Amino acid sequence: MSETTHFGLAVVGSGSAAFATAIEARRKQVSVVMIEHATVGGTCVNVGCIPSKALLAAAAARHVSLDHRFPGIATTASPVDMAALVRGKDAIVDALRHEKYEELAGFYGFDILYGHARFVPGPMLEVNGERIEADHYVIATGASPWAPPITGLDEAGYLTSTTAMELDHVPSSLVVIGGNAVGLEQGQLFARLGSVVTIVETLPRIAPFEEPEVSEALTAIFSEEGITVRAGATVGKAVRENGAVVVSLDSGSGHEDLRAEAVLVATGRRPNTADIGLDTVGVAVGSRGEVVVDDELRTANPRIFAAGDVTGHPQFVYVAGKHGGIVADNAIDGAHRRIDYRTLPRVTFTSPAIASVGMTDDEANQQGFVCECRVLPLTQVPRGIVNRDTRGVAKIVAERESG
């Protein structure tokens, strides 16, 4: 019979949501164990925010050196040594993982147990042949890149947002499938490093969930940078021919084949809930594999909560951190805290960046508000003029009567 160890709180996963939960629980003097089956730190530090922004900064530096926007200043840029760039990115990731995650576990006094955790009736967790029992459990296993079922895609081969940041060379040409945050960031990143990039989006415009004026401005900006946008197009199939990938598109304007050295699939992320025994403890999952939770982040099992990307809620690191504090308060103190997304900020780190908070024009109208909208092109903003970068717009959506 396997040995059973008891804790006040057991957290499955080790990303931002997991650490926020564990730290808050330790502040309440509750014993905590964290279980991780791979690398500590989750998406943000390992394969998300940190590495992508490190590469985006490098690509922006190269782009500025080729831009020549300021009279009297001449700069040049050499071809990119992608392997060296990736090594530099990895060094930043390793340092931050150690400083911001691994060291914090020791500082706050909780253990990280390495192994695959699986729920068994009790509820309990089984890890490395041992059993862990806790007063409360938190599922914080995050999410992973997801590819749609495109005919031939697996056989042709493709990059994800994770594997694209491990390349040892810059692809000469790249088709990006997906015109939302990740596809836009990485499409512009590789274009600025030297790839010929085409971005394909099924919906009628890139950045489809932002204001239409933002999508229009970004499409024009990408065109100026040599990035081709194919919006309102569906990928029918992909095949590998003579060392290249041929992607077949269907759109309102007909059929088109795109040939590129590589394809990057950026069509979203799906929660990591397979093979952790959720069905054995009465935890339901939704159509995309997300853990179903109530507005207090509790699952159908009253002793089990979920936090972060695994819930299918907005996938931002600050949402995961907020979830962690709420879950710790609700599980340990019965605080009945809830999260309110009405003023959730979001940023896509293109250049210029897309930043927004609150309702869009369309959302406000759907909820019955009489709106007063203003759109300001950055050509009218002195700071943009002196920076010689007037690309983009600002839009304010206000309630007409109150302002």
Side-chain angles (χ1 to χ4, degrees), residues 260-317:
E261 179 182 338
V263 171
L264 167 60
V265 177
T267 49
R269 300 171 67 83
R270 293 291 171 92
N272 299 320
T273 51
D275 197 32
I276 57 174
L278 298 182
D279 56 330
T280 67
V281 289
V283 174
V285 296
S287 60
R288 292 173 174 259
E290 74 278 11
V291 175
V292 176
V293 294
D294 63 16
D295 55 7
E296 295 180 7
L297 302 176
R298 191 190 303 267
T299 73
N301 188 312
R303 289 171 58 191
I304 303 176
F305 292 75
D309 292 356
V310 77
T311 63
H313 289 209
Q315 295 186 358
F316 299 106
V317 65

Side-chain angles (χ1 to χ4, degrees), residues 16-370:
S16 300
F19 266 82
T21 306
I23 289 169
E24 189 59 31
R26 288 299 298 136
R27 287 175 175 152
K28 300 175 187 296
Q29 305 299 310
V30 171
S31 58
V32 174
V33 64
M34 182 179 289
I35 304 112
E36 173 54 59
H37 77 104
T39 306
V40 168
T43 295
C44 182
V45 72
N46 291 310
V47 296
C49 327
I50 298 302
S52 67
K53 277 45 177 186
L55 293 179
L56 282 166
R62 183 175 189 271
H63 179 73
V64 168
S65 72
L66 295 168
D67 191 19
H68 305 301
R69 77 177 69 161
F70 295 100
I73 297 177
T75 54
T76 59
S78 302
V80 175
D81 183 343
M82 190 68 182
L85 195 58
V86 168
R87 286 195 298 273
K89 175 265 298 181
D90 289 343
I92 292 172
V93 168
D94 290 345
L96 287 176
R97 183 195 306 118
H98 180 66
E99 178 184 346
K100 301 296 185 182
Y101 290 84
E102 293 167 339
E103 286 189 346
L104 284 185
F107 180 81
Y108 283 99
F110 61 87
D111 295 324
I112 300 176
L113 177 62
Y114 290 91
H116 181 77
R118 183 177 176 82
F119 281 99
V120 295
M124 288 190 285
L125 287 168
E126 199 165 68
V127 187
N128 302 331
E130 298 184 5
R131 296 216 164 169
I132 291 173
E133 187 174 22
D135 297 331
H136 301 284
Y137 303 85
V138 179
I139 304 162
T141 48
S144 297
W146 172 82
I150 296 170
T151 301
L153 184 63
D154 288 339
E155 293 75 15
Y158 62 92
L159 300 168
T160 67
S161 58
T162 299
T163 59
M165 293 190 290
E166 300 298 334
L167 290 173
D168 60 5
H169 73 287
V170 178
S172 59
S173 51
L174 182 70
V175 171
V176 179
I177 302 175
N180 209 340
V182 173
L184 297 175
E185 288 183 2
Q186 295 213 341
Q188 190 178 42
L189 160 67
F190 280 100
R192 290 181 164 192
L193 294 179
S195 295
V196 177
V197 173
T198 301
I199 297 177
V200 179
E201 170 56 47
T202 301
L203 294 175
R205 54 190 174 91
I206 58 172
F209 306 111
E210 303 295 341
E211 296 286 1
E213 294 89 349
V214 169
S215 298
E216 181 181 356
L218 194 64
T219 300
I221 290 162
F222 275 16
S223 178
E224 291 171 6
E225 294 192 13
I227 300 169
T228 300
V229 171
R230 292 285 185 268
T234 302
V235 179
K237 64 178 181 178
V239 296
R240 183 166 287 278
E241 292 181 357
N242 302 321
V245 181
V246 179
V247 175
S248 297
L249 302 186
D250 293 301
S251 67
S253 57
H255 180 85
E256 180 182 9
D257 286 338
L258 302 177
R259 179 181 292 268
E261 179 182 338
V263 171
L264 167 60
V265 177
T267 49
R269 300 171 67 83
R270 293 291 171 92
N272 299 320
T273 51
D275 197 32
I276 57 174
L278 298 182
D279 56 330
T280 67
V281 289
V283 174
V285 296
S287 60
R288 292 173 174 259
E290 74 278 11
V291 175
V292 176
V293 294
D294 63 16
D295 55 7
E296 295 180 7
L297 302 176
R298 191 190 303 267
T299 73
N301 188 312
R303 289 171 58 191
I304 303 176
F305 292 75
D309 292 356
V310 77
T311 63
H313 289 209
Q315 295 186 358
F316 299 106
V317 65
Y318 40 89
V319 170
K322 186 73 171 180
H323 276 195
I326 288 173
V327 162
D329 287 348
N330 289 348
I332 296 165
D333 299 332
H336 300 294
R337 289 183 61 197
R338 301 174 180 180
I339 192 162
D340 182 354
Y341 293 118
R342 286 178 297 176
T343 55
L344 174 69
R346 59 185 181 272
V347 181
T348 298
F349 289 91
T350 49
S351 179
I354 304 170
S356 59
V357 63
M359 296 181 195
T360 64
D361 189 350
D362 185 55
E363 289 168 343
N365 280 288
Q366 287 183 19
Q367 293 192 28
F369 289 96
V370 178

